[in-house]
Amino acid sequence: FDVLISVIVIGNALMLGVQVNFEVQDKPPNDWFKYLEWGCTAIFTGEMALRIWAIGLKKMFARSERFMTIMDMVLVIFSLVDTLLDVLVASGSQANTASVARLIKMLRVGRLLRPLRTVALLSELRIIAKMIASSFRSLFWLLCILLVFTYCVSLVLTQGAASYFQDVAESGKISDEYIEVKNAFGSIFVTMYSLYLSITGGRSWGEFAHLMSNAGAFYSGLLSFFIFVNLFSIL
């Protein structure tokens, strides 16, 4: 039974992909999408009702199953409300159609999350999901360490950039890279964003190290050290 429902969920997810592809290409809407969506909603609602009748809410909301049950129920409720609003749009007045259509677009986010129900239905996926969720605490503290380290390095780099700006102002000779250094290291938060780009591949860290070489070899070396620690130690 769980495998059958999982197959239906996956099929519904593929249908949503085709429907979104139709919308982005400005193709005329097809009523079959609507009817299939209503059918899937009826199946998922019936499946939820059968689980409540056979297992009972007490067991479904046990500590080990609580999160999956809540997620499952929320997705089913979203689908029911979405279907109800679809019916109102089809039979409602022109004045109410626009506002209801906007609400449907908001609820469609819940419909797009429906493939997550396969996690709740298949035990193998559920085990993997629990392992990922249990790692969030360690991930949180790792991100805290990374944030503090990035902030400390940003303080030093921004101070070096400030000294470079002051030297340029005193000499009156503005180099071609002055604006680039100011755009990349002009404030603490801008410097932190530049370091974020460096460690995530948004921009080559070598470019930032070259820019900081204008302030001195120490600052370009510090940026290189920051990248080394993040790549080989933290990340």
Side-chain angles (χ1 to χ4, degrees):
F1 181 73
D2 287 344
V3 175
L4 176 62
I5 296 298
S6 298
V7 171
I8 296 176
V9 170
I10 294 173
N12 180 244
L14 295 176
M15 183 196 70
L16 288 176
V18 176
Q19 182 179 359
V20 171
N21 194 54
F22 263 72
E23 293 177 357
V24 78
Q25 295 178 359
D26 292 329
K27 293 183 179 180
N30 195 320
D31 290 339
W32 278 105
F33 289 126
K34 184 188 301 183
Y35 300 145
L36 288 173
E37 179 63 31
W38 291 356
C40 289
T41 299
I43 293 174
F44 297 146
T45 305
E47 180 256 345
M48 176 59 68
L50 285 175
R51 286 182 181 276
I52 295 175
W53 175 74
I55 302 176
L57 287 175
K58 186 176 181 180
K59 290 184 178 180
M60 292 178 66
F61 280 93
R63 186 172 183 180
S64 60
E65 303 291 334
R66 186 177 305 164
F67 175 76
M68 294 297 179
T69 300
I70 292 175
M71 182 188 70
D72 206 3
M73 287 186 171
V74 168
L75 292 176
V76 170
I77 291 173
F78 269 48
S79 299
L80 288 173
V81 175
D82 188 16
T83 301
L84 177 61
L85 292 178
D86 272 338
V87 175
L88 292 177
V89 169
S91 60
S93 63
Q94 188 70 21
N96 294 328
T97 300
S99 59
V100 174
R102 286 193 295 268
L103 184 57
I104 288 177
K105 290 182 179 180
M106 297 174 60
L107 291 174
R108 186 165 293 180
V109 176
R111 184 195 299 179
L112 298 177
L113 294 177
R114 188 178 289 169
L116 294 176
R117 296 190 74 238
T118 56
V119 177
L121 295 173
L122 299 180
S123 58
E124 292 83 1
L125 291 179
R126 188 183 307 180
I127 293 173
I128 296 175
K130 288 182 178 179
M131 293 174 61
I132 295 175
S134 63
S135 67
F136 281 166
R137 180 177 300 178
S138 299
L139 177 62
F140 170 76
W141 291 114
L142 178 62
L143 291 177
C144 289
I145 294 174
L146 179 59
L147 180 62
V148 172
F149 183 43
T150 303
Y151 177 74
C152 293
V153 174
S154 297
L155 285 176
V156 180
L157 294 179
T158 306
Q159 183 61 47
S163 300
Y164 167 69
F165 298 148
Q166 185 176 1
D167 293 340
V168 170
E170 291 176 355
S171 64
K173 298 179 181 179
I174 299 179
S175 64
D176 296 335
E177 296 179 338
Y178 175 83
I179 300 299
E180 293 186 40
V181 175
K182 198 169 187 62
N183 289 335
F185 303 97
S187 69
I188 292 293
F189 295 108
V190 172
T191 303
M192 292 181 68
Y193 179 65
S194 297
L195 294 179
Y196 170 77
L197 293 177
S198 298
I199 62 178
T200 56
R203 187 174 173 182
S204 174
W205 66 268
E207 297 179 14
F208 290 121
H210 176 70
L211 291 177
M212 284 309 298
S213 65
N214 291 278
F218 168 76
Y219 298 103
S220 60
L222 177 63
L223 196 150
S224 301
F225 175 74
F226 171 82
I227 298 299
F228 176 83
V229 172
N230 277 279
L231 292 180
F232 295 100
S233 298
I234 298 179
L235 300 180

